[in-house]
Amino acid sequence: MSEEKVKEFGDLLKELRLQQGYSLNELSEKVGIYAGYLYRLEEKMKHSPPIPLVVQLAEFLGVDLNVMIQAVMESHRRRKLSGEENNVEKR
């Protein structure tokens, strides 16, 4: 039985954006977020994106919402395993 590897959210988002031919600026304008925030999402920011944004991106990019949610969960799992969530600076 082959097991398909679940991608992290940032990797999946970037792959979908590039497959559909959008620049960071174009996609950010289409979904109404800052290009810098979209860049940070793709580069594995240290917290999960808001679910309404995940829904909006899934709808716009034409991907099953479950696939996007799995990717968010995989990112969270990997951050937890690497200890990144416990290393957030307190201000």
Side-chain angles (χ1 to χ4, degrees), residues 4 13 17 19 32 34 41 45 66-67 79 87 90:
E4 186 176 323
L13 180 58
R17 176 179 62 78
Q19 282 177 354
Y34 291 108
L41 286 174
M45 61 192 314
N66 290 325
V67 172
R79 282 194 311 270
N87 295 331
K90 295 180 181 177

mmCIF file of all heavy atoms in Angstrom, residues 4 13 17 19 32 34 41 45 66-67 79 87 90:
data_model
loop_
_atom_site.group_PDB
_atom_site.id
_atom_site.type_symbol
_atom_site.label_atom_id
_atom_site.label_comp_id
_atom_site.label_asym_id
_atom_site.label_seq_id
_atom_site.Cartn_x
_atom_site.Cartn_y
_atom_site.Cartn_z
ATOM 1 N N GLU A 4 0.560 8.420 0.517
ATOM 2 C CA GLU A 4 0.863 9.728 -0.051
ATOM 3 C C GLU A 4 1.284 10.677 1.063
ATOM 4 O O GLU A 4 0.627 10.761 2.096
ATOM 5 C CB GLU A 4 -0.383 10.275 -0.755
ATOM 6 C CG GLU A 4 -0.118 11.560 -1.499
ATOM 7 C CD GLU A 4 -1.339 12.036 -2.267
ATOM 8 O OE1 GLU A 4 -2.061 11.202 -2.802
ATOM 9 O OE2 GLU A 4 -1.539 13.244 -2.294
ATOM 10 N N LEU A 13 0.281 25.688 -0.717
ATOM 11 C CA LEU A 13 -0.195 26.979 -1.202
ATOM 12 C C LEU A 13 0.689 27.509 -2.329
ATOM 13 O O LEU A 13 0.191 27.934 -3.381
ATOM 14 C CB LEU A 13 -0.243 27.980 -0.041
ATOM 15 C CG LEU A 13 -0.715 29.384 -0.361
ATOM 16 C CD1 LEU A 13 -2.117 29.383 -0.955
ATOM 17 C CD2 LEU A 13 -0.666 30.252 0.900
ATOM 18 N N ARG A 17 -0.436 28.056 -6.211
ATOM 19 C CA ARG A 17 -0.329 29.414 -6.780
ATOM 20 C C ARG A 17 0.483 29.382 -8.064
ATOM 21 O O ARG A 17 0.068 29.957 -9.088
ATOM 22 C CB ARG A 17 0.312 30.358 -5.755
ATOM 23 C CG ARG A 17 0.551 31.761 -6.294
ATOM 24 C CD ARG A 17 1.164 32.674 -5.260
ATOM 25 N NE ARG A 17 2.472 32.279 -4.783
ATOM 26 C CZ ARG A 17 3.610 32.475 -5.451
ATOM 27 N NH1 ARG A 17 3.608 33.053 -6.648
ATOM 28 N NH2 ARG A 17 4.769 32.117 -4.925
ATOM 29 N N GLN A 19 1.199 26.740 -10.007
ATOM 30 C CA GLN A 19 0.534 25.931 -11.030
ATOM 31 C C GLN A 19 -0.502 26.746 -11.788
ATOM 32 O O GLN A 19 -0.710 26.544 -12.979
ATOM 33 C CB GLN A 19 -0.163 24.719 -10.399
ATOM 34 C CG GLN A 19 0.746 23.587 -10.048
ATOM 35 C CD GLN A 19 0.000 22.452 -9.358
ATOM 36 O OE1 GLN A 19 -1.179 22.539 -9.037
ATOM 37 N NE2 GLN A 19 0.717 21.368 -9.114
ATOM 38 N N GLY A 32 -7.598 39.370 -1.179
ATOM 39 C CA GLY A 32 -7.704 40.502 -0.263
ATOM 40 C C GLY A 32 -6.809 40.447 0.958
ATOM 41 O O GLY A 32 -7.213 40.860 2.048
ATOM 42 N N TYR A 34 -2.474 41.001 2.297
ATOM 43 C CA TYR A 34 -1.193 41.591 1.916
ATOM 44 C C TYR A 34 -0.271 40.533 1.315
ATOM 45 O O TYR A 34 -0.227 39.392 1.789
ATOM 46 C CB TYR A 34 -0.491 42.221 3.126
ATOM 47 C CG TYR A 34 -1.170 43.451 3.645
ATOM 48 C CD1 TYR A 34 -1.860 43.427 4.846
ATOM 49 C CD2 TYR A 34 -1.134 44.644 2.922
ATOM 50 C CE1 TYR A 34 -2.499 44.559 5.330
ATOM 51 C CE2 TYR A 34 -1.774 45.787 3.389
ATOM 52 C CZ TYR A 34 -2.453 45.727 4.592
ATOM 53 O OH TYR A 34 -3.083 46.852 5.050
ATOM 54 N N LEU A 41 2.951 32.982 4.798
ATOM 55 C CA LEU A 41 2.196 31.725 4.811
ATOM 56 C C LEU A 41 2.947 30.650 4.026
ATOM 57 O O LEU A 41 3.058 29.512 4.470
ATOM 58 C CB LEU A 41 0.807 31.906 4.203
ATOM 59 C CG LEU A 41 -0.225 32.651 5.025
ATOM 60 C CD1 LEU A 41 -1.492 32.869 4.196
ATOM 61 C CD2 LEU A 41 -0.555 31.910 6.309
ATOM 62 N N MET A 45 5.137 30.229 8.261
ATOM 63 C CA MET A 45 5.074 31.066 9.450
ATOM 64 C C MET A 45 4.779 30.209 10.680
ATOM 65 O O MET A 45 4.343 29.082 10.562
ATOM 66 C CB MET A 45 4.049 32.175 9.279
ATOM 67 C CG MET A 45 2.624 31.709 9.047
ATOM 68 S SD MET A 45 1.477 32.999 8.518
ATOM 69 C CE MET A 45 1.811 34.335 9.597
ATOM 70 N N ASN A 66 -10.701 19.975 2.454
ATOM 71 C CA ASN A 66 -10.077 18.954 3.306
ATOM 72 C C ASN A 66 -8.577 18.835 3.052
ATOM 73 O O ASN A 66 -7.808 18.602 3.975
ATOM 74 C CB ASN A 66 -10.754 17.592 3.103
ATOM 75 C CG ASN A 66 -12.146 17.561 3.675
ATOM 76 O OD1 ASN A 66 -12.424 18.173 4.698
ATOM 77 N ND2 ASN A 66 -13.039 16.846 3.012
ATOM 78 N N VAL A 67 -8.169 18.996 1.814
ATOM 79 C CA VAL A 67 -6.744 18.935 1.472
ATOM 80 C C VAL A 67 -6.007 20.096 2.145
ATOM 81 O O VAL A 67 -4.921 19.916 2.712
ATOM 82 C CB VAL A 67 -6.545 18.964 -0.063
ATOM 83 C CG1 VAL A 67 -5.077 19.104 -0.427
ATOM 84 C CG2 VAL A 67 -7.138 17.712 -0.688
ATOM 85 N N ARG A 79 5.615 21.601 13.324
ATOM 86 C CA ARG A 79 6.112 22.651 14.232
ATOM 87 C C ARG A 79 6.183 22.115 15.655
ATOM 88 O O ARG A 79 7.141 22.370 16.382
ATOM 89 C CB ARG A 79 5.225 23.889 14.180
ATOM 90 C CG ARG A 79 5.442 24.756 12.976
ATOM 91 C CD ARG A 79 4.793 26.120 13.130
ATOM 92 N NE ARG A 79 3.415 26.051 13.563
ATOM 93 C CZ ARG A 79 2.362 25.981 12.746
ATOM 94 N NH1 ARG A 79 2.532 25.948 11.442
ATOM 95 N NH2 ARG A 79 1.142 25.939 13.227
ATOM 96 N N ASN A 87 9.108 27.706 21.460
ATOM 97 C CA ASN A 87 10.206 28.671 21.418
ATOM 98 C C ASN A 87 9.758 30.065 21.008
ATOM 99 O O ASN A 87 10.574 30.892 20.677
ATOM 100 C CB ASN A 87 11.289 28.192 20.459
ATOM 101 C CG ASN A 87 11.954 26.930 20.929
ATOM 102 O OD1 ASN A 87 12.041 26.689 22.130
ATOM 103 N ND2 ASN A 87 12.398 26.099 20.015
ATOM 104 N N LYS A 90 8.169 35.603 24.338
ATOM 105 C CA LYS A 90 7.115 36.289 25.081
ATOM 106 C C LYS A 90 7.491 37.751 25.164
ATOM 107 O O LYS A 90 8.615 38.104 25.458
ATOM 108 C CB LYS A 90 6.959 35.684 26.464
ATOM 109 C CG LYS A 90 6.486 34.257 26.394
ATOM 110 C CD LYS A 90 6.331 33.682 27.785
ATOM 111 C CE LYS A 90 5.876 32.237 27.678
ATOM 112 N NZ LYS A 90 5.766 31.595 28.964
#
